[in-house]
Amino acid sequence: PVAAAVHKALKDEVARADRDRQRLLKEYGVDIADTSGFDVVVDNTKLNPDQVLAQVLAALPKHFLAG
């Protein structure tokens, strides 16, 4: 029963995210899956807060502090 509930919740979340993406694309012309407009993208899926911070700080000189 727990596995089925987790599977359903995951399926529902994926469907909701897809609906949101389609709605934003239709209404605003914005594709939230397209990260090409950003200078830095940090995938924090498997990172703890300290690792995220380290990646952000490492990107600062390259993207924002360069002369």
Side-chain angles (χ1 to χ4, degrees):
V2 172
V6 169
H7 178 74
K8 182 182 180 327
L10 180 58
K11 184 178 173 184
D12 291 347
E13 178 59 24
V14 168
R16 185 194 62 77
D18 188 53
R19 284 191 310 272
D20 287 348
R21 180 176 179 221
Q22 294 302 321
R23 180 180 54 80
L24 288 169
L25 188 59
K26 180 180 177 183
E27 291 180 19
Y28 303 105
V30 174
D31 184 357
I32 59 174
D34 177 10
T35 59
S36 65
F38 298 99
D39 292 321
V40 177
V41 176
V42 177
D43 178 2
N44 66 351
T45 305
K46 296 181 180 180
L47 302 178
N48 66 42
D50 290 333
Q51 292 169 317
V52 172
L53 178 61
Q55 285 197 14
V56 170
L57 293 176
L60 283 175
K62 179 178 178 184
H63 294 283
F64 304 105
L65 302 178

